[in-house]
Amino acid sequence: MKKLTKILVLGLAFQACTVLYAQDMLKSLFPEDICNTLITKGSYKSINEDGDYEYHVLPECEYSEQIKKNRVQRGGMNLVAEQAYLVKKDDLKKTRTYENGQPDLKDAAEIFTSVSEMEKAVYYSNTRRKYMNLYKIVSYIDNLENPKKLDDLRLKETDGVESYFQMHDASFGLNYFSLKYKQNESTLFVNIVNMDPMGFAGVKGVQAKDLIINYLVVDCGDCYVLYLGADIKMTKVPGMRTKIIKSYDSRLSAMYNWFKEQF
């Protein structure tokens, strides 16, 4: 009985330590208001007002300054959309086995280097007013001039890896992107840049390199912090800003849901 009690006490102490560790990590990543919202609600979303070019949700990590420096040019119509999520590992389905019993950062890296799996991502189309597949085709390609489909990389160690991929979006059609990965012990950074003009509602409103998407996954022990950010420069078209805001809110939310389903 004493042995069982000791095991239970040690288990509760370990659980308390992991919770405190996660909270300390959150406090180091975000301002107090965002941190508290993530703890109580599990998510935090922000889309800038017109004329506001700053990141407001970006976590403080090794890659933050790099993200802040690598921006689209100002001019035309700029938009910054950001979302952050607290993803508890105990809430994941975990349909496969893990080296340490729980998913870690290497598993997140493998997910983000399995780009063809993004074809399963579902989003809410505000135009069609229904849920549907976000992408028809997603795959790595060998080059931009005469692109040929490549298999997924499926890497657990991604630091310094660079590639290209193609994506056929439900609204934007087929486009090509550069893809760069950075990874340290606690954080995965994925940087995506469009390499050709993108059309929306019949208008080529986003020119090459005028869309930068940044994903961050921070391993906080018993949970992940997932950050999704889009930095966009668009041609000024009446009514376009409202459509893009709704579109990217749905797209970033879809990527969060897709990420959770991959475990």
Side-chain angles (χ1 to χ4, degrees), residues 19-193:
V19 170
L20 289 172
Y21 172 75
Q23 290 182 352
D24 286 342
M25 283 285 289
L26 282 176
K27 290 176 183 178
S28 70
L29 295 171
F30 298 103
E32 185 177 359
D33 59 332
I34 297 178
C35 181
N36 291 338
T37 301
L38 284 172
I39 291 172
T40 57
K41 295 184 178 181
S43 65
Y44 190 99
K45 298 183 179 182
S46 173
I47 295 181
N48 289 8
E49 297 292 331
D50 193 12
D52 181 357
Y53 307 105
E54 302 305 317
Y55 286 116
H56 297 292
V57 188
L58 181 64
E60 283 294 332
C61 67
E62 179 180 334
Y63 310 113
S64 302
E65 288 305 313
Q66 182 177 338
I67 291 172
K68 290 176 183 177
K69 291 176 181 177
N70 183 28
R71 303 294 305 275
V72 300
Q73 293 184 354
R74 295 184 184 181
M77 183 168 57
N78 291 85
L79 176 71
V80 177
E82 299 176 276
Q83 296 183 5
Y85 294 91
L86 192 61
V87 183
K88 295 181 180 178
K89 294 180 181 179
D90 284 342
D91 293 340
L92 299 172
K93 290 183 178 179
K94 300 177 190 172
T95 58
R96 46 186 171 152
T97 57
Y98 301 97
E99 290 181 10
N100 302 315
Q102 282 273 52
D104 57 23
L105 195 66
K106 292 181 179 180
D107 297 299
E110 186 175 2
I111 286 170
F112 275 103
T113 51
S114 302
V115 297
S116 69
E117 293 295 320
M118 291 183 187
E119 293 176 11
K120 299 175 183 177
V122 175
Y123 85 121
Y124 182 77
S125 171
N126 292 281
T127 302
R128 302 172 182 87
R129 297 184 181 181
K130 65 178 182 179
Y131 285 95
M132 57 185 292
N133 283 80
L134 179 53
Y135 306 116
K136 294 181 181 179
I137 300 169
V138 187
S139 72
Y140 288 105
I141 54 175
D142 56 351
N143 63 73
L144 296 175
E145 289 71 30
N146 185 27
K148 294 181 180 179
K149 182 179 177 180
L150 299 176
D151 292 336
D152 287 335
L153 297 175
R154 298 187 66 85
L155 301 174
K156 289 182 176 290
E157 299 286 352
T158 66
D159 191 44
V161 173
E162 298 185 8
S163 188
Y164 295 108
F165 77 106
Q166 62 181 350
M167 180 183 290
H168 193 290
D169 185 280
S171 298
F172 300 117
L174 181 64
N175 288 102
Y176 303 104
F177 301 83
S178 68
L179 188 57
K180 297 180 181 180
Y181 299 91
K182 297 286 185 181
Q183 185 177 345
N184 60 24
E185 290 184 359
S186 63
T187 307
L188 170 69
F189 169 36
V190 185
N191 172 257
I192 299 169
V193 181

